[in-house]
Amino acid sequence: MKELSQSVSYDVQDGVAVLITNNPPVNTMSYHVRQGLVDGLEEADKDGDVRAIVLYCEGRTFFAGMDITEFGNPDVPEAPGITDVIKKLEGASKPVIAALHGTPLGGGFETALGCHHRVAVPSAKMGLPEVKLGIIPGAGGTVRLPRVVGVQAALEMMTSGNPISAERALSAGLVDEIVDGDLLSGAIAFVQKVASADEPLARIRDSDEKLQAARTNPEIFDVFRKSIARKTRGFKAPEAIIQSVEGAVRLPFDEALTNERRIFVECQKSPEAKAQQYFFFAERQAKKIPDVPKDTPTRGIEKVGVIGAGTMGGGISMNFLNRGIPVTIVEATQEALDRGIGIIEKNYASTAKKGRITEDDVKERMSLLTGALDYQALSDVDLVIEAVFEDMDLKKTVFRAIDEICKPGCVLASNTSYLNINEIAAVTSRPQDVIGLHFFSPANIMRLLEVVRGDETSNEVLATCMKLGAHIGKVAVVVGVCRGFVGNRILGARMRQSDDLLLKNAMPQEIDAVVFDFGFPMGSFAMRDLAGLDIGWLGDETPDKDINVRHQLCTRGRRGQKTGGGFYDYESGSRTPIPNAEVEQIIQEVSKNAGVTRTEISAADMLKRMIYAMVNEAAKILDEGIALRAAAIDVIWVYGYGWPTYRGGLTYYADQIGLTNIVEDLDRFSTEYDDPELEPAPLLRQLAREGKSFQDFVRQDHFEA
Ligand code: 3H9
């Protein structure tokens, strides 16, 4: 075995040169990897004893792509680039095979496509996820992939960025064989057969049959554009991928590569790519808890209890059933229990009807669900999640009861979205086992899980819940105790600004348009219509009825989408909000009753007021230690509230605007609108004064442990 670089070594086994890469954790194609591969390929090509070449990676995966931290880093030599490596592979005079395991992604998968053959273990998952980083596959992916799988399938794979299984790759012609036993031996055996056959080398560049259909039917691109328009609104990379594939169809191979390179470089320079790449690392940072090391012991969660079979309780239960974890769901009455279980079954049936799961899956999941009317049924579960009405007294009653019944070591969790976990924990004899697990509605679909750490919550319980969150497919982010935690507290700040704008300046459709155009799926008023305006409405008990728009709407039967109207009208079966003249009239009257003279405001100022109020709240949250780091806030807002990823996240966006500019605007607004909430938070002022950003801010007491 010969070392070619710090990460690549060279070995010859039975006449086959094996280039072995070991660049933990995920074998990114760092500079030294590329250099080692180029040197190894040159050596193997010259070596008369070598008949074929295998690319093999040690550790958990074949190359997971380029090292993102190298992008734009002037200290990293440009040559050899990944395209130099692929050119060498493809042009080698001896067959080259890629031995795929783990997650061959991005540049890693493009490298495999540059090889003459590919074999994979059954568990391998491969694809081109560059779109998620705001870029396009820039090492031949957009030119080679459609030559193998056809234009439509290639567009789908690259604009979604989702990986495919080895089995699917095999049937799509992307891998030649699945290796069940030892991967390296399988790859060597396969490539030896190829070398013995003495046939021309199979280079993807040489075949363009699969492009013919798109050449005769170029409309395929516009049809595809339309089909993804709604999902990809605001993102640059999906359109760039389409254009590069158009190039692959239109141009000769080498020109198509040059065209791809040009588009890649343009994308890579874009603010969207920078934001999305920031977010990639933010997501990984948000999982880390400084005083809870990776090796903290965790508890096994094999049985779960859920209290409350309403919308939240049902959705929460489904997460566990989906992963094969039995759930006992407890309700107060048989009627409520039957209704809740019925809804879960209906949800599964509708998923099965769409072909996403089988009838057998439905049966299996439902067989793991048990209903009960008595807390006693929770005596042997490992985790209880309370999902009853948001009422502190009720929650305390529930926790007193489960404290009596649940076995020692059982994790006691509340799904509260606002209330104080410490107060709830205090009524039990085991506050160290109490935690908040704040799921977002619909709980079986939304990825975010706020894990609320109480003052007494043990590290073991916290680590258990973080691990469990990942196991059920959630993005778990730890937050501290305060009203509304991170997500809803910041949402509250935006809502209060929207309400004030409604009272003093603009109509719902104008305010919502600003938020929608920014990139959110919907604005505050459309969101309220979706949730139902009567949630939390006090009816006749409402104070100051004359100056309360919601009260005025509710009393007129306008209670949101479910009644066909709220802040907006909705046509039957449609969720598209339509402005309503009567609502505008009501808003004008409320302003009059409140003694407000309505004034004009620009869309730019509306946006600033709403977003900067959120930024201000984020600064308070960080200062108080409710979020461990700015990245956590960004992850929460992307996964819980539809913050557009191409803007990075709330605090990242604020950093791009510049905190000094934000402080200046907030100072102006707080005076102009006489709103103390818009007064810049001390931390925001401090960071601005010191010329720092949110990303620079680290609370020492969190990170010293
Ligand atoms: C590309 O290839 C461009 C090409 O088209 C060529 C253009 C010319 N770079 O996620 P994990 C780190 S673009 C740098 O926790 P998992 C990650 O930050 C790239 N670092 O593990 C983490 O560090 P830490 C296309 C990376 O098992 C550690 O590795 N490829 C990269 O849950 C472990 O990661 C992709 O987009 C990277 N590319 O998931 C794949 N990847 O421990 C991106 C990972 O300090 N990566 N790290 O927090 C992934 O999707 C997942 O990391 C993977 C493993 C599935 C591989």
Side-chain angles (χ1 to χ4, degrees), residues 307-319:
I307 302 175
T311 315
M312 277 321 275
I316 292 170
S317 302
M318 289 173 77
N319 287 296

Side-chain angles (χ1 to χ4, degrees), residues 337-414:
L337 186 61
D338 291 344
R339 194 174 46 234
I341 292 179
I343 291 172
I344 295 177
E345 192 157 19
K346 220 168 99 192
N347 280 341
Y348 278 139
S350 110
T351 314
K353 217 167 152 194
K354 288 178 198 146
R356 294 200 198 125
I357 54 172
T358 64
E359 290 299 333
D360 282 348
D361 292 332
V362 178
K363 275 195 206 123
E364 195 185 314
R365 290 173 200 198
M366 289 309 293
S367 74
L368 294 170
L369 182 63
T370 313
L373 296 173
D374 191 338
Y375 291 147
Q376 205 62 48
L378 303 177
S379 62
D380 68 340
V381 300
D382 305 301
L383 161 72
V384 176
I385 304 175
E386 161 280 305
V388 302
F389 191 66
E390 285 285 85
D391 176 279
M392 182 53 98
D393 289 337
L394 179 61
K395 302 231 180 223
K396 283 182 177 169
T397 309
V398 170
F399 272 77
R400 274 191 204 100
I402 56 178
D403 185 28
E404 289 284 314
I405 286 160
C406 292
K407 68 183 184 189
C410 174
V411 176
L412 308 182
S414 171

Side-chain angles (χ1 to χ4, degrees), residues 25-26 28 60-61 64-69 71 82-83 103 105-108 110 129-130 133 135-139 261 264 280-281 284-285 287-288 294:
V26 295
T28 50
R60 58 205 238 208
T61 181
M66 290 294 280
D67 180 342
I68 307 163
T69 60
F71 289 162
I82 181 170
T83 46
T103 48
L105 295 173
E110 291 175 293
E130 284 88 342
L133 300 169
I135 51 178
I136 70 166
R261 181 78 202 156
F264 171 83
F280 174 83
F281 291 110
R284 279 149 186 87
Q285 264 192 350
K287 287 187 202 157
K288 295 177 183 149
K294 256 189 170 169

Side-chain angles (χ1 to χ4, degrees), residues 104-212:
L105 295 173
F109 190 53
E110 291 175 293
T111 300
L113 291 178
C115 295
H116 307 118
H117 297 279
R118 289 151 294 280
V119 290
V121 296
S123 59
K125 289 205 159 41
M126 59 202 84
L128 296 172
E130 284 88 342
V131 72
K132 296 182 182 172
L133 300 169
I135 51 178
I136 70 166
T142 66
V143 184
R144 288 193 182 86
L145 187 64
R147 281 179 153 74
V148 183
V149 301
V151 166
Q152 178 73 24
L155 287 173
E156 280 165 16
M157 256 181 93
M158 290 188 285
T159 56
S160 74
N162 295 332
I164 59 168
S165 65
E167 197 186 330
R168 254 193 77 195
L170 179 72
S171 59
L174 286 165
V175 303
D176 300 82
E177 193 174 273
I178 304 276
V179 177
D180 277 315
D182 179 62
L183 175 61
L184 182 54
S185 316
I188 292 176
F190 188 95
V191 83
Q192 277 172 334
K193 260 191 294 174
V194 173
S196 307
D198 203 24
E199 282 175 358
L201 293 174
R203 302 188 308 174
I204 290 175
R205 62 177 292 142
D206 294 337
S207 155
D208 67 355
E209 258 168 61
K210 288 275 171 71
L211 305 180
Q212 292 306 336

Side-chain angles (χ1 to χ4, degrees), residues 657-670:
I657 299 287
L659 301 188
T660 317
N661 295 330
I662 294 182
V663 166
E664 248 172 45
D665 276 322
L666 281 173
D667 272 331
R668 170 166 71 87
F669 291 139
S670 62

